[in-house]
Amino acid sequence: MRIAIDAMGGDNAPGLIVKGVLEAAHEWPDTELVLVGDTAVIEQLMGGNKPANISLCHADEVIGPDEEPVKAVRRKKGASMVVAGQLVREKRADAMLSAGNTGALMTTGLLVVGRLDGIERPALAPMLPTMDDVGMLALDLGANMDAKPEHLLQYAIMGSIYRSKVHGMDKPRIGLLNVGTEARKGNELTKAAYDLLEQAPIHFIGNVEARDVLSRSCDVLICDGFAGNIMLKAMEGTAGTLFGFIKDAFGESLLTKLAAAIMLPKLRKLKNKMDYKEYGSAPLLGLNGLVMKCHGSSDEVAVKSAIRQARIAIQGKLTESIAAEISGK
Amino acid sequence: MRIAIDAMGGDNAPGLIVKGVLEAAHEWPDTELVLVGDTAVIEQLMGGNKPANISLCHADEVIGPDEEPVKAVRRKKGASMVVAGQLVREKRADAMLSAGNTGALMTTGLLVVGRLDGIERPALAPMLPTMDDVGMLALDLGANMDAKPEHLLQYAIMGSIYRSKVHGMDKPRIGLLNVGTEARKGNELTKAAYDLLEQAPIHFIGNVEARDVLSRSCDVLICDGFAGNIMLKAMEGTAGTLFGFIKDAFGESLLTKLAAAIMLPKLRKLKNKMDYKEYGSAPLLGLNGLVMKCHGSSDEVAVKSAIRQARIAIQGKLTESIAAEISGK
């Protein structure tokens, strides 16, 4: 199998991206890793230490984190992210990874890699934090703002397949984000989606509420991009504000500093639990090949972990399974 | 002025409701308070101590907390909540309060009190907690699941008037809940609403994100009921889960119990900040008279505080101001 890596995207590119790929190359000698980017820079970073299963593919442009996605992907045909996408499109790679501009990666997926037949809207599926550290796959959290019930149905099918193929889950529980757990709750979108999900070849457990995400009330959370994004930011904002208040309170006096010394390791553990960066990279599902989004702040450990995930997905024939399930309807 | 109080609704009815009304009657002798409910029970609770500005209005039924709202309001014409609504409809009271079934109260507002001319959807406007203890008025948080841009415009106008009339705010900042702060962000609903809000006679400050609610990035938050409810429950769930974790961590050993003793007063303060019950009752805006929803767990202090709010709203001619602004368009 062959995996293309955008060497130039992300806060720590290209240094830690290349480092992570080198480590992955040693761990999995059966996997061919293609580093896409400025070959002169990459070669210098590797210092003559190029394992046989690493190859380079030159790309002389980079898409910056603040560039307008569609414009950037259309204009910069020679950007590392776009070139990596072309390798997947031309079946010269089974998967690509990037820690670069999320919007541009979604656009690369859509315009360069291309959708699977029958998929209307590919979806980015990151993991939401849960207190048991297992995490909840969520789609969509902001890619498609105006989803139709059929889109939510496809998200559910793709999420279910991903969770069983890549995370080894037997019968992942699919939940629909809603304002109550009863069947007839919600807006027109969720009511119609509910009916579709009940008929789908998945383990649909019904509506779930935003307050139960952290206790992992389901394994795959289905929502439209608008509501999902509002939920994610409400959780982040609340956790961030509470941690900030507690931190200030710990600094108030000698006594509170003593309390801080006792409690800090536990609070750090809690903070890590709440940090969705700890839960790995996010697949872009519904494309004609695997595209993985690594966090912008990915280091070598995150890159290696993303490559591990991509290997499992390729071995499990993730894309083929999604294609079969979707075209089967 | 005259205010009708549903004596039979809420967890602490009728005991603490009657107690709160007695205290309010002493504090504001100029205000006539009408206790609606089982007069025999109410008289017994008052023990012959009935101030001149309290009158009783008999109602022999009660709507329970779990009754289906529309059915209950239609069938129980003699329920205390419905009778209080009729007093407002017939202009025999300027306002009504209830701590009973929220859905039934909304239905009473819609079917018994009636909408103001030109208002399409009345909205319940509770306060969201903020770290500065001022609170953020939010509408709608779950009453209307499928809002149109014009509904959001009306929410904004009503919320702005309420905040200035009742909370004495000069130029309350109106924000639109969205997935980013830039102008063109969001779904079809928020994009269309944004354009309407820009033209409205309010101090519209643009899009605000769910993560900035606790820092009070605006004074009135405008959202559709679905997204608003998801946001509210995500905030509640995150805060609840984090407090639970911290509580458990404090109980782990003798040392952590020491830390708990030091930190508990501060954490209790934080918990109170996050408790939206601390932020008073919620008006139902857009009706032909004032309807206030008190929390189900309201005690005598909450009832008295709701009566105080209702007095200010009546003195400030809240309903008339909303009617004038809405019919003026």
Side-chain angles (χ1 to χ4, degrees), chain A residues 125-329:
Chain A
M127 296 290 273
L128 290 172
T130 59
M131 294 307 280
D132 64 3
D133 301 329
V134 173
M136 181 187 285
L137 192 80
L139 58 176
D140 163 39
L141 292 186
N144 305 319
M145 283 295 138
D146 291 285
K148 297 202 172 70
E150 295 72 27
H151 301 150
L152 299 193
L153 170 65
Q154 293 194 338
Y155 296 169
I157 293 171
M158 296 192 295
S160 180
I161 294 174
Y162 187 82
R163 210 77 167 119
S164 46
K165 292 280 177 191
V166 178
H167 297 162
M169 275 194 172
D170 184 36
K171 278 182 65 175
R173 296 163 304 152
I174 315 297
L176 178 64
L177 180 65
N178 214 328
V179 298
T181 54
E182 306 88 331
R184 300 306 309 159
K185 280 275 177 181
N187 56 12
E188 285 169 19
L189 173 66
T190 57
K191 284 179 194 167
Y194 191 99
D195 294 339
L196 294 178
L197 292 171
E198 276 198 312
Q199 309 295 326
I202 53 172
H203 180 37
F204 179 51
I205 60 159
N207 294 322
V208 299
E209 290 197 89
R211 70 170 109 228
D212 299 322
V213 166
L214 287 170
S215 56
R216 195 159 66 92
S217 55
C218 65
D219 302 308
V220 181
L221 182 70
I222 303 303
C223 47
D224 71 283
F226 187 84
N229 196 276
I230 296 285
M231 178 194 70
L232 179 68
K233 286 180 179 158
M235 293 176 67
E236 282 178 1
T238 304
T241 303
L242 297 195
F243 284 128
F245 181 95
I246 291 168
K247 197 181 157 202
D248 290 348
F250 272 138
E252 279 176 17
S253 69
L254 268 178
L255 263 179
T256 59
K257 280 177 189 161
L258 170 69
I262 298 168
M263 295 302 294
L264 231 49
K266 291 173 207 301
L267 286 177
R268 210 164 277 141
K269 195 172 131 197
L270 178 61
K271 219 170 169 175
N272 285 343
K273 273 180 192 299
M274 295 295 298
D275 183 1
Y276 67 104
K277 285 203 286 296
E278 301 282 320
Y279 291 82
S281 51
L284 232 163
L285 297 174
L287 298 173
N288 214 345
L290 183 61
V291 175
M292 302 278 278
K293 167 73 180 108
C294 306
H295 295 290
S297 58
S298 290
D299 58 11
E300 72 274 22
V301 179
V303 169
K304 197 175 148 193
S305 151
I307 292 172
R308 179 186 292 112
Q309 269 183 279
R311 289 183 79 251
I312 299 172
I314 296 166
Q315 283 166 344
K317 299 197 180 303
L318 173 77
T319 302
E320 295 82 346
S321 303
I322 292 175
E325 194 61 64
I326 295 290
S327 68
K329 2 211 80 268

Side-chain angles (χ1 to χ4, degrees), chain A residues 13-84:
Chain A
L16 299 189
I17 308 286
V18 171
K19 192 167 178 216
V21 170
L22 276 171
E23 289 179 14
H26 285 117
E27 178 133 356
W28 301 293
D30 64 331
T31 304
E32 198 173 326
L33 301 170
V34 187
L35 272 163
V36 184
D38 185 327
T39 43
V41 173
I42 296 170
E43 269 168 355
Q44 198 176 4
L45 280 165
M46 295 207 295
N49 163 32
K50 190 163 83 66
N53 57 333
I54 289 189
S55 60
L56 305 190
C57 174
H58 185 69
D60 48 20
E61 288 178 292
V62 178
I63 295 179
D66 300 319
E67 288 194 62
E68 202 286 305
V70 177
K71 215 179 280 178
V73 171
R74 287 223 165 108
R75 288 193 189 158
K76 291 186 168 174
K77 306 278 187 211
S80 54
M81 184 190 282
V82 177
V83 172

Side-chain angles (χ1 to χ4, degrees), chain B residues 146-158:
Chain B
D146 291 286
K148 299 204 170 67
E150 295 72 27
H151 301 148
L152 300 193
L153 170 64
Q154 294 194 336
Y155 296 169
I157 292 170
M158 297 191 295

